[in-house]
Amino acid sequence: MDPSTYARTRLSTLAPPLERAPNPVALLRSLDRRQWLFFLVPIPSLPRAAACADGLEVAFLAWTWDAFDFFTVSLTVEDLAETFGRSIADVTWGITLTLMFRSAGAVAFGIAADRYGRRWPFVVNNVLFVVLELATAFTTTYGQFLAVRALFGVAMGGLYGNAAATALEDCPEAARGLLSGMLQQGYAFGFLLATVFARGLVDTTSHGWRPLFWVGACPPVLIIVFRLCLPETAAYTERDAARRAHGDVAESFVAEGKVALKRHWLLLLYLVLLMAGFNFMSHGSQDLYPTLLANQYGFSHDAVTVTQVVANLGAITGGTVVGYCSQTFGRRLSIICMCIVGAALLYPYTFVTSKAVVAAAFFEQFCVQGAWGVIPIHLMELSPGAYRTFVVGTSYQLGNLISSASSTIEATLGERFPLPPRGTARRYRYGLVICIFLACVYAYVIVLVLLGPEQRGRSMRAEQEEPVVAPGHDTAASGEAQGDVEKGARKG
């Protein structure tokens, strides 16, 4: 398809397929309830749906605690600033460095997961979580804090692509949208847990903020044991068998990588730009919001906690509902609708000064995470099969790299709009900055999604993916490949 034809079809392809919406309960029951509860021993002959159920559980838990460990800093910014004798803007560099270094982890662990399987890179990721979260708790200087959080970013970056592949690549097509939304909301659930634990642990003992990080280091140990009890995904096993059939597995993997970059570089660039917008949207609406409530509007710790909990309940609801609906209305249309509604809610989200802001927070995060609920399966369907973990994880984390300064930008700009102090505490108009910042982000995401491709319903079985490339070849055996954007245009 030529570029002009592709451009002309961007609006027409937004028309929803309007396929009959499957019963969500029936979709979950199709994964076999017995296998949802299976934890202890790997069974290599598990049916594909059952493997999906197990994969979703372990991926959801890991993604939940990944988010928990990340937000431990966001929720203790003022405490950390006091401990290290720095400003809030200085401490947000700990968030920025984590986001910046996540791309390094995505590349390293993504390649490892596509080459050697999903299990062991996943385990190493979680071992690093334990070590680095404990290390954060024992830092005594600002320099140590920044160094540890940068290393934490490497570990955190390696998880997303692996978790998405583990959870979704074996799932039945009809259940993908629902399970994508459920998986992504591990992030919101992790934020919710971090909010609750922060209220119970921070400044309630003589150790200040440190107990929150000590607790954060514990659950990954159980997640490691859980993952070791599960087999590889069927999709990876099939792909690996196909590589072995061509002789040298390592050479086949490298040859596939060369072909993937040659064919799909434009798609990868698009996904990075898309993920930059999405990460600006989530971090711009969440990371500095507790500081906005406490600093600008004078909310107590309890009021901030209640608002954050309600907001994350909205996020969990939105991600699950919109992810499910995207199976009927399409991925792109679902995202665009959530961005439009989210933009309309920005004023009450950032300017309501009373506790009634909890309603705006619920629905704003419903929209933000509703759009995000589509993303895991949207990325999976657009990515080439041989390098699915690498492409999903790297595009997500490079987008994070671009958006890594979100909280620092907001905090720095906010300090240019001072308010009358409350006692000895300086106050700033963070609400104004967050509102304008997110309005620009929503507009950017709408335009990018409108221009982009969609491959809803694409098969992820190895035999229906692009063929394995034999060593010494730079093209697949079954003919000339077409670009992903062109293939995407045929489906939407």
Side-chain angles (χ1 to χ4, degrees):
M1 180 182 294
D2 61 272
S4 61
T5 304
Y6 178 83
R8 286 197 302 270
T9 60
R10 292 306 82 207
L11 282 175
S12 62
T13 54
L14 278 179
L18 293 178
E19 297 177 359
R20 182 176 180 181
N23 185 322
V25 176
L27 290 178
L28 296 179
R29 290 181 63 187
S30 74
L31 299 178
D32 190 336
R33 181 175 179 275
R34 179 181 65 86
Q35 298 304 333
W36 277 101
L37 303 176
F38 175 75
F39 296 120
L40 298 178
V41 294
I43 302 177
S45 60
L46 279 176
R48 201 174 185 89
C52 171
D54 288 328
L56 181 66
E57 286 177 353
V58 72
F60 178 85
L61 291 174
W63 186 227
T64 294
W65 217 257
D66 189 357
F68 180 101
D69 288 345
F70 173 77
F71 282 112
T72 50
V73 172
S74 297
L75 293 167
T76 55
V77 166
E78 292 185 280
D79 300 278
L80 291 164
E82 182 179 349
T83 297
F84 298 127
R86 296 281 182 161
S87 69
I88 288 175
D90 287 337
V91 172
T92 59
W93 275 104
I95 300 172
T96 299
L97 287 173
T98 297
L99 297 176
M100 290 176 66
F101 278 84
R102 281 163 69 164
S103 55
V107 172
F109 285 99
I111 291 175
D114 284 325
R115 169 62 182 88
Y116 299 106
R118 316 306 191 203
R119 181 189 296 174
W120 288 108
F122 186 98
V123 169
V124 173
N125 261 155
N126 281 276
V127 170
L128 291 175
F129 286 155
V130 174
V131 173
L132 294 171
E133 196 71 355
L134 284 175
T136 303
F138 289 105
T139 55
T140 56
T141 68
Y142 178 66
Q144 292 174 354
F145 169 73
L146 292 184
V148 172
R149 296 315 289 181
L151 292 175
F152 180 82
V154 176
M156 188 175 183
L159 184 70
Y160 185 79
N162 198 329
T166 299
L168 299 175
E169 64 185 354
D170 286 350
C171 286
E173 179 185 330
R176 287 179 184 174
L178 176 61
L179 297 181
S180 173
M182 291 173 63
L183 170 66
Q184 184 61 37
Q185 294 331 298
Y187 184 85
F189 188 50
F191 193 2
L192 189 153
L193 290 178
T195 301
V196 174
F197 274 77
R199 185 66 192 99
L201 296 173
V202 175
D203 292 333
T204 57
T205 70
S206 60
H207 299 293
W209 50 268
R210 299 180 193 275
L212 181 62
F213 292 82
W214 294 336
V215 170
C218 299
V221 176
L222 301 178
I223 294 171
I224 290 169
V225 175
F226 187 5
R227 184 63 186 96
L228 287 173
C229 292
L230 300 177
E232 284 293 350
T233 64
Y236 170 79
T237 302
E238 291 169 3
R239 193 81 192 182
D240 188 56
R243 288 180 182 139
R244 293 182 186 280
H246 281 77
D248 191 307
V249 176
E251 289 188 15
S252 290
F253 181 75
V254 172
E256 287 175 347
K258 293 178 180 178
V259 172
L261 288 176
K262 184 177 180 180
R263 293 178 183 171
H264 307 303
W265 66 270
L266 183 59
L267 172 68
L268 182 58
L269 176 61
Y270 168 77
L271 293 180
V272 170
L273 295 176
L274 180 65
M275 288 297 93
F278 267 82
N279 281 292
F280 272 123
M281 186 164 64
S282 59
H283 292 294
S285 67
Q286 294 172 344
D287 291 358
L288 206 65
Y289 197 66
T291 304
L292 158 68
L293 297 175
N295 179 276
Q296 182 174 344
Y297 297 140
F299 278 34
S300 67
H301 288 304
D302 287 340
V304 171
T305 299
V306 169
T307 304
Q308 291 294 88
V309 168
V310 172
N312 281 285
L313 290 174
I316 294 169
T317 305
T320 304
V321 170
V322 179
Y324 168 72
C325 290
S326 74
Q327 198 69 26
T328 299
F329 296 104
R331 315 298 188 206
R332 292 163 61 229
L333 182 61
S334 299
I335 292 170
I336 289 173
C337 288
M338 287 299 98
C339 288
I340 292 172
V341 177
L345 290 169
L346 283 177
Y347 183 83
Y349 183 62
T350 54
F351 284 92
V352 171
T353 61
S354 69
K355 294 180 181 179
V357 76
V358 296
F362 178 93
F363 287 108
E364 182 65 35
Q365 289 306 316
F366 181 100
C367 294
V368 170
Q369 290 303 319
W372 264 106
V374 183
I375 284 298
I377 192 58
H378 190 44
L379 296 185
M380 292 283 289
E381 289 172 335
L382 290 176
S383 300
Y387 278 77
R388 184 169 288 130
T389 302
F390 170 77
V391 170
V392 172
T394 301
S395 61
Y396 175 83
Q397 302 302 355
L398 286 176
N400 248 323
L401 175 61
I402 295 171
S403 66
S404 58
S406 296
S407 58
T408 302
I409 291 171
E410 290 179 337
T412 303
L413 291 177
E415 290 174 1
R416 296 185 180 182
F417 300 95
L419 291 168
R422 182 179 290 108
T424 59
R426 296 179 179 178
R427 298 171 60 236
Y428 303 100
R429 296 189 67 185
Y430 292 123
L432 175 65
V433 173
I434 292 174
C435 184
I436 296 173
F437 184 86
L438 286 176
C440 296
V441 171
Y442 277 129
Y444 168 84
V445 171
I446 289 171
V447 171
L448 208 58
V449 172
L450 179 64
L451 296 176
E454 179 176 338
Q455 293 193 45
R456 188 184 62 87
R458 173 184 174 181
S459 173
M460 297 186 192
R461 296 296 296 263
E463 65 268 19
Q464 297 177 30
E465 293 275 8
E466 294 177 344
V468 172
V469 179
H473 294 72
D474 62 357
T475 58
S478 65
E480 199 69 27
Q482 296 185 14
D484 280 281
V485 173
E486 294 184 6
K487 290 190 291 183
R490 294 200 299 270
K491 291 195 176 185

